[in-house]
Amino acid sequence: MSDMQEQAIRQQCKTLRMSTMGGQFARLAEAAIREGQSHIGYLEALLGAEMEERETRAIARLLHEARLPRMKTLEGFEFDRSGVSAAQLRDLAAGDYVAKAEPILLVGEAGTGKTHLATGLCVAACRQRRRVRFTTATAMINELAEAAHANQLSRALSRWERLDLICIDELGYVPLAETACELMFQVIADRAEKAAVIVTTNLPFSEWSQVIPNPRLCKALIDRLTDRAHIITTGTDSYRFRRTTAARKNEKA
């Protein structure tokens, strides 16, 4: 293959936005000759490389748009040190709950791994090419309040509605004003039986009235979130505290 041919092919690949093919066609052609591949075999390898790279870029974009606090996966969670079922989380990570619009509620004390598990489920959903958004309850309410103040609430609610999965972290850590609760309820109510939501909370449902002052709104929110939900209890024993304690013991040993 002449230099002129290579340049022409690279330019054509650039025009067709096939950057991986443009970067790998020569190397794969040499490999095909060495291995005695057919023309069809070479074409299959070339197209496969392009598809694989596009898939990688698409997932990277979805992970970026999800606004995850940290890149944590279920594979990195130490299930043997927690009371959470690894099998249950693996089943959920397969994504059926997203397709069926079933909520997931992670309930437990601070440090028990709720955010790690929620993030891991979000990563799994992004890998399945689903549109995900991770937020804290406070950040979501602030965003909606700013949109309402700017007369853009309807547009903001539409953006949330278009997502395949929303994860609301730290619900229950800070008392919420009634107006704030109403804004969050709009998002959750709009998704009921239509799209999936993950919520992490440090409070049992019987104590949600401590942070949601309107009893009727509190009851309605719990009703929407618990309907057909997967409720996972992470316990009261801090995973982070145990890990820190173990690390200090190892340092002294």
Side-chain angles (χ1 to χ4, degrees):
M1 187 185 302
S2 68
D3 290 343
M4 188 174 296
Q5 283 178 312
E6 286 194 21
Q7 290 175 6
I9 293 171
R10 287 195 178 93
Q11 184 57 48
Q12 289 166 344
C13 287
K14 184 177 180 181
T15 302
L16 293 170
R17 298 182 180 181
M18 294 180 173
S19 58
T20 302
M21 289 181 67
Q24 295 196 29
F25 76 91
R27 180 181 64 80
L28 290 176
E30 291 174 0
I33 292 170
R34 286 196 309 271
E35 298 167 8
Q37 282 186 346
S38 66
H39 293 84
I40 297 297
Y42 166 64
L43 180 60
E44 182 182 11
L46 194 58
L47 290 172
E50 180 69 35
M51 291 294 293
E52 183 177 348
E53 180 60 26
R54 289 192 180 195
E55 179 78 4
T56 299
R57 288 199 302 266
I59 292 172
R61 184 181 68 253
L62 289 168
L63 287 168
H64 174 73
E65 292 173 352
R67 305 186 190 182
L68 302 172
R70 295 177 184 83
M71 184 63 182
K72 292 190 174 183
T73 65
L74 294 179
E75 292 85 355
F77 189 79
E78 296 179 4
F79 286 98
D80 57 335
R81 294 190 178 184
S82 75
V84 180
S85 167
Q88 182 183 16
L89 267 294
R90 281 195 296 268
D91 287 344
L92 289 172
D96 280 353
Y97 76 97
V98 180
K100 296 176 181 177
E102 296 170 343
I104 294 177
L105 302 177
L106 293 157
V107 185
E109 294 288 348
T112 56
K114 301 185 301 297
T115 301
H116 187 150
L117 293 170
T119 303
L121 289 170
C122 288
V123 170
C126 289
R127 288 172 176 171
Q128 294 157 8
R129 303 288 292 272
R130 288 179 163 125
R131 294 164 299 174
V132 177
R133 174 75 186 279
F134 185 104
T135 183
T136 63
T138 302
M140 169 184 270
I141 287 167
N142 288 341
E143 181 179 323
L144 293 171
E146 289 174 7
H149 182 72
N151 295 318
Q152 298 290 324
L153 182 59
S154 178
R155 184 175 296 179
L157 290 172
S158 295
R159 287 197 298 270
W160 287 102
E161 189 175 354
R162 287 195 294 269
L163 295 163
D164 299 310
L165 173 63
I166 291 173
C167 178
I168 305 173
D169 196 28
E170 298 181 350
L171 178 59
Y173 282 79
V174 179
L176 304 173
E178 185 168 339
T179 302
C181 294
E182 290 172 355
L183 290 171
M184 185 169 62
F185 178 76
Q186 280 187 262
V187 174
I188 292 171
D190 286 346
R191 299 180 69 79
E193 298 188 27
K194 293 188 294 185
V197 60
I198 298 173
V199 172
T200 76
T201 179
N202 63 316
L203 294 177
F205 302 122
S206 60
E207 296 180 16
W208 278 31
S209 57
Q210 295 177 11
V211 294
I212 302 174
N214 185 319
R216 296 179 67 180
L217 185 60
C218 181
K219 182 179 179 180
L221 185 61
I222 292 173
D223 180 67
R224 294 294 195 285
L225 286 173
T226 56
D227 182 36
R228 303 179 305 114
H230 302 271
I231 301 174
I232 300 167
T233 302
T234 58
T236 59
D237 191 8
S238 173
Y239 167 80
R240 285 197 296 266
F241 180 76
R242 292 199 311 273
R243 184 176 58 189
T244 303
T245 302
R248 287 177 178 172
K249 286 182 178 178
N250 290 334
E251 289 174 0
K252 292 178 181 180

